[in-house]
């Protein structure tokens, strides 16, 4: 699956944003404005100067809506959610080349809030996945103690675990040890 670099960057941002949500005993990784500044910095999100509690609340809302796309039962449901996200963000597509990247498209309006910025660019990246018939690539980790979001970009759509916690390695080692124990016993 060929994904343009701007779409890939936006998909990575969406996944990372969804994975900031509190899960199990893990706290909210967007607990305060400082954490939001860190997210903006880590993702090199351009055009963000000052952030407020309103921005934090808006980004948390976008995060929840993106998570809904990962939970959507089919492409039609995912498309409906993406359409709502993108429409509410007030998209204004524009070509740009900045920060060492060649020409790419930003979908957010100039001066947009950080929430609208993320919703527009992230929503359009998710739209790309749905339009290409690849909605099933938007997944949750199948490890019993995880559930983090990821985009399965494997050739045969076979990825089952996230990269962020070594979930696949842990479960493969456990299965190997169980097979060895069974063979020895």
């Amino acid at each position: 699956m060929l994904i343009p670099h701007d779409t890939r960057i936006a998909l990575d941002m969406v996944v990372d944003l969804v994975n900031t949500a509190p899960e199990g005993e893990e706290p909210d990784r967007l607990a305060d404005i400082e954490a939001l500044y860190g997210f903006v910095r880590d993702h090199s999100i351009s055009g963000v100067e000052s952030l407020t509690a309103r921005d934090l609340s808006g980004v948390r809302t976008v995060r929840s809506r993106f998570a809904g796309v990962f939970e959507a039962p089919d492409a039609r449901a995912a498309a409906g959610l993406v359409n709502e996200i993108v429409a509410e963000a007030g998209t204004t597509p524009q070509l740009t080349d900045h920060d060492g990247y060649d020409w790419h498209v930003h979908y957010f309006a100039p001066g947009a809030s950080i929430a609208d910025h993320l919703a527009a660019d992230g929503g359009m990246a998710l739209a790309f996945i749905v339009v290409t018939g690849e909605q099933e690539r938007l997944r949750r980790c199948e490890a019993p103690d995880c559930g983090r979001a990821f985009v399965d970009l494997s050739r045969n759509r076979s990825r089952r675990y996230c990269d962020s916690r070594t979930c696949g390695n842990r479960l493969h080692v456990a299965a190997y040890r169980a097979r060895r124990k069974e063979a020895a016993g």
Side-chain angles (χ1 to χ4, degrees):
M1 182 167 146
L2 184 62
I3 300 176
H5 80 277
D6 54 333
T7 301
R8 178 62 191 263
I9 289 169
L11 284 172
D12 289 345
M13 179 276 303
V14 167
V15 166
D16 289 348
L17 181 60
V18 169
N19 288 335
T20 64
E23 180 185 335
E25 294 185 22
E26 268 192 48
D28 190 332
R29 291 183 19 233
L30 281 182
D32 54 30
I33 295 171
E34 191 60 38
L36 182 56
Y37 272 114
F39 185 85
V40 167
R41 184 181 54 253
D42 292 347
H43 290 279
S44 302
I45 299 171
S46 60
V48 176
E49 293 175 19
S50 63
L51 297 170
T52 65
R54 183 179 174 142
D55 291 317
L56 180 61
S57 176
V59 169
R60 286 179 177 161
T61 299
V62 169
R63 172 179 71 185
S64 175
R65 299 190 75 201
F66 283 159
V69 176
F70 279 81
E71 306 301 324
D74 56 36
R76 183 165 304 284
L81 292 169
V82 168
N83 284 341
E84 289 174 12
I85 292 166
V86 170
E88 289 175 15
T91 57
T92 307
Q94 54 188 325
L95 287 170
T96 185
D97 65 337
H98 62 88
D99 296 334
Y101 293 109
D102 203 357
W103 289 106
H104 59 282
V105 180
H106 281 301
Y107 295 95
F108 57 92
S113 70
I114 183 66
D116 285 345
H117 180 141
L118 299 178
D121 278 358
M124 291 307 298
L126 291 169
F128 175 83
I129 296 295
V130 174
V131 164
T132 57
E134 303 287 352
Q135 183 257 340
E136 72 276 0
R137 289 182 182 272
L138 303 176
R139 299 208 174 142
R140 293 290 190 159
C141 182
E142 293 180 21
D145 59 341
C146 189
R148 293 173 68 86
F150 68 92
V151 179
D152 178 4
L153 297 177
S154 66
R155 182 172 284 182
N156 62 358
R157 297 178 189 93
S158 63
R159 194 167 146 209
R160 298 174 48 205
Y161 307 110
C162 68
D163 286 338
S164 57
R165 291 187 174 171
T166 67
C167 291
N169 288 343
R170 280 187 304 111
L171 293 170
H172 292 298
V173 167
Y176 171 75
R177 288 180 180 160
R179 285 192 306 271
R180 288 200 46 167
K181 185 178 181 180
E182 185 178 310

